[in-house]
Amino acid sequence: MLYIYIYIYIQYIYTVYISLVHLALPSVCVCCIRMALLLFTLLSVLSTLAPALCDLEEMPFVEPAGRRFAGRSNYTILTVPNGEQFGNWTWPEMCPEGFYAVGFSLRVESNQYGSDDTALNGIRLFCSRPGDRSYLYFVESHTGYFGDWTDPQWCPGSGILKSFQLRVEPHLGLFGDDTSANNIRFRCSTNPTLQGQGMDWGEYGQWSEECNTGGICGLETKMEVYQYALDDSSLNDVRFHCCF
């Protein structure tokens, strides 16, 4: 789409100016002006795009890990007791050997104001080697169908995720609109606590245990399958892998 706008802009400027110079200059001068105008326009466009291109070059390369590294060994499981009851545990996704989770993003459905709410639908972890975030993998296990991904949040410095706390709305009964998991917090090895941009229903439970060595390196979600015209709750619980 950007190239279309650039093309239309060049054609417009070209048509206006050439229409003017045709009135007063011979064909040789018109040809020279055409070339100069085209060069000027291209340089103007490139100077406008240069900051965005530089930003793009500075962004790290991000690749989905999927289930390729699910056989990674030497890990324990971090859990919390306040996950909800609906759905089943899905598949684990793991960072590659030597990579740990340094940031995360959430898939969140905003308030539906009277329609069916599902709140938290997915958790995505970004994995890197300690101290080197130029190349990232991401893992997310199974995610729900609703909402959008939030901007990533990162541990500062060379920090990695070490423990978590889950915000859950309890089951509301037969006629209630269940949302189950709503938000999450992580503690980093560099001390700060990161809170996701999730929803506010329910309460935070207790913190999980903390990775004593290494850090969080994978996850597995408990998801309720799509309920069609019935009440969806989507993500109900999560457990994280803590690698040595």
Side-chain angles (χ1 to χ4, degrees):
M1 183 61 70
L2 178 61
Y3 296 108
I4 296 175
Y5 290 142
I6 293 173
Y7 176 78
I8 293 173
Y9 172 73
I10 292 174
Q11 289 296 315
Y12 173 75
I13 298 296
Y14 175 82
T15 302
V16 171
Y17 276 83
I18 294 306
S19 298
L20 293 174
V21 298
H22 263 300
L23 299 176
L25 297 175
S27 60
V28 175
C29 294
V30 169
C31 182
C32 294
I33 291 174
R34 285 176 177 173
M35 296 298 295
L37 178 61
L38 181 59
L39 180 60
F40 173 77
T41 304
L42 289 174
L43 289 174
S44 299
V45 171
L46 287 174
S47 65
T48 302
L49 293 177
L53 293 175
C54 291
D55 290 343
L56 184 61
E57 291 176 356
E58 292 174 359
M59 292 178 62
F61 185 83
V62 182
E63 179 181 348
R67 305 188 209 182
R68 284 180 290 167
F69 309 105
R72 182 174 178 175
S73 58
N74 298 322
Y75 65 85
T76 57
I77 300 292
L78 301 180
T79 62
V80 289
N82 63 322
E84 259 302 330
Q85 60 185 294
F86 304 108
N88 297 294
W89 290 102
T90 59
W91 58 87
E93 291 189 7
M94 303 280 286
C95 305
E97 193 73 35
F99 284 67
Y100 299 91
V102 297
F104 72 100
S105 175
L106 304 180
R107 187 173 189 176
V108 180
E109 183 185 45
S110 59
N111 193 332
Q112 298 301 292
Y113 297 102
S115 296
D116 186 25
D117 289 292
T118 58
L120 186 58
N121 273 250
I123 302 169
R124 177 179 290 168
L125 301 179
F126 293 94
C127 313
S128 80
R129 295 186 185 277
D132 179 10
R133 299 185 184 180
S134 61
Y135 196 102
L136 302 174
Y137 287 89
F138 71 83
V139 293
E140 57 188 36
S141 188
H142 185 40
T143 64
Y145 303 101
F146 309 101
D148 300 302
W149 289 101
T150 63
D151 292 333
Q153 296 172 252
W154 307 95
C155 288
S158 58
I160 56 180
L161 304 180
K162 301 283 282 186
S163 61
F164 78 102
Q165 185 183 31
L166 196 62
R167 183 170 196 154
V168 178
E169 181 182 46
H171 178 39
L172 298 177
L174 182 62
F175 300 105
D177 180 7
D178 291 306
T179 60
S180 295
N182 270 247
N183 206 352
I184 195 167
R185 289 174 179 155
F186 288 99
R187 282 191 180 132
C188 298
S189 60
T190 43
N191 289 328
T193 297
L194 303 178
Q195 178 167 282
Q197 302 169 41
M199 300 302 292
D200 297 329
W201 295 301
E203 302 291 338
Y204 279 103
Q206 68 185 54
W207 282 92
S208 71
E209 294 184 3
E210 186 170 293
C211 299
N212 292 321
T213 59
I216 290 176
C217 61
L219 78 164
E220 184 179 356
T221 55
K222 184 179 183 180
M223 301 291 300
E224 182 183 43
V225 297
Y226 181 49
Q227 299 296 298
Y228 297 94
L230 302 176
D231 180 27
D232 286 290
S233 63
S234 203
L235 197 152
N236 273 246
D237 201 354
V238 61
R239 51 195 180 202
F240 292 94
H241 295 227
C242 183
C243 293
F244 308 148

